Amino acid sequence: MKRKSSIFINLRLGTVFLVFLFLVLLCAKFIFTDRHIEGQIIENAYGVKITQNILPEDSPLRTCIPRNIKYIVIHETGNPSATADAAAHNHYLECNGDGSTAWHYTVDDSVAYHHIPDDEIAYHAGKGNRSGIGIELCVNNGGNFEKTFENGAKLTAKLIHTYGLSVHSIKQHADFMDKNCPENIRNNDRWTEFLSLVKKYLEEN
Ligand SMILES: [Zn+2]
């Protein structure tokens, strides 16, 4: 009788343990899943915080077409409105995107937003460019463009490093289309300066 009840207790303890183990694994799955999403993507580029806000797969802006990464393509938003910072562009993509244009990151003077997975096609420099990670630099009035410039170079360096690219992989939107973008950088002849800044961060790595 005593032996029977101890088996019963052991069985109960075993069941409790299995339920506990199941719950632990379930929690681990959620934690792992979250980390998996974040883990594929850079969270911090030389101190620039990247807010991960990947658009859902059913967003009209997502092509869900994987590709190899060959370029980092630099743009400027061309939106001088004082409120047109990275968060505003993130919100725009979430709410107003029509599927014709999308890009991977938006950077302003304090933060970067990540909208589309790096290894997925997004049409930010015409449909001919399928291999570039598109980065939009904000030009909002009142924003500190020097800091945005620096943050853009930091994010570019981090991506170059992550994907084993070289500075020759850094392109302007204008390299793919007849468009004066990134406009401020081009108009002020600062492209070489941008590349040098990327190189500087790469050397720090
Ligand atoms: Zn552009």
Side-chain angles (χ1 to χ4, degrees):
M1 196 63 190
K2 202 173 179 184
R3 190 186 165 92
K4 250 189 178 175
S5 73
S6 81
I7 288 170
F8 182 68
I9 289 167
N10 280 343
L11 276 174
R12 269 215 323 204
L13 279 175
T15 309
V16 168
F17 176 72
L18 283 175
V19 169
F20 175 72
L21 191 66
F22 174 74
L23 289 173
V24 166
L25 288 173
L26 198 66
C27 289
K29 182 183 177 296
F30 279 114
I31 291 164
F32 177 76
T33 304
D34 279 344
R35 289 184 73 82
H36 183 67
I37 292 166
E38 304 254 324
Q40 285 187 4
I41 304 161
I42 303 143
E43 294 175 294
N44 186 308
Y46 300 90
V48 181
K49 186 174 172 286
I50 301 171
T51 300
Q52 305 294 344
N53 206 2
I54 302 296
L55 293 163
E57 285 191 0
D58 60 359
S59 159
L61 300 181
R62 292 283 305 272
T63 64
C64 295
I65 305 171
R67 51 73 195 269
N68 290 325
I69 299 162
K70 290 188 197 162
Y71 310 115
I72 310 296
V73 185
I74 306 301
H75 301 259
E76 284 173 21
T77 61
N79 186 345
S81 161
T83 55
D85 59 6
H89 281 86
N90 178 66
H91 184 68
Y92 171 80
L93 289 177
E94 281 180 326
C95 304
N96 302 304
D98 62 3
S100 61
T101 306
W103 57 94
H104 298 83
Y105 294 88
T106 308
V107 179
D108 66 18
D109 56 9
S110 61
V111 73
Y113 275 82
H114 192 186
H115 317 293
I116 291 183
D118 295 343
D119 60 355
E120 182 175 311
I121 292 176
Y123 299 117
H124 48 86
K127 298 226 169 189
N129 170 35
R130 301 165 69 91
S131 311
I133 295 177
I135 300 177
E136 289 279 358
L137 305 181
C138 291
V139 294
N140 48 313
N141 282 334
N144 181 348
F145 186 73
E146 293 313 304
K147 193 80 183 124
T148 302
F149 185 88
E150 188 183 302
N151 289 347
K154 285 179 174 175
L155 175 60
T156 303
K158 191 72 182 173
L159 292 169
I160 292 278
H161 179 74
T162 301
Y163 296 111
L165 303 172
S166 77
V167 284
H168 302 293
S169 317
I170 308 169
K171 303 288 180 191
Q172 303 177 19
H173 182 178
D175 290 329
F176 298 95
M177 287 177 78
D178 185 19
K179 186 170 179 186
N180 188 23
C181 180
E183 193 176 353
N184 283 311
I185 291 176
R186 287 168 60 79
N187 290 355
N188 295 297
D189 210 8
R190 298 187 70 185
W191 186 242
T192 308
E193 186 190 340
F194 185 82
L195 297 182
S196 301
L197 203 52
V198 173
K199 274 185 212 160
K200 188 189 113 180
Y201 295 126
L202 280 171
E203 280 159 16
E204 281 176 15
N205 213 319

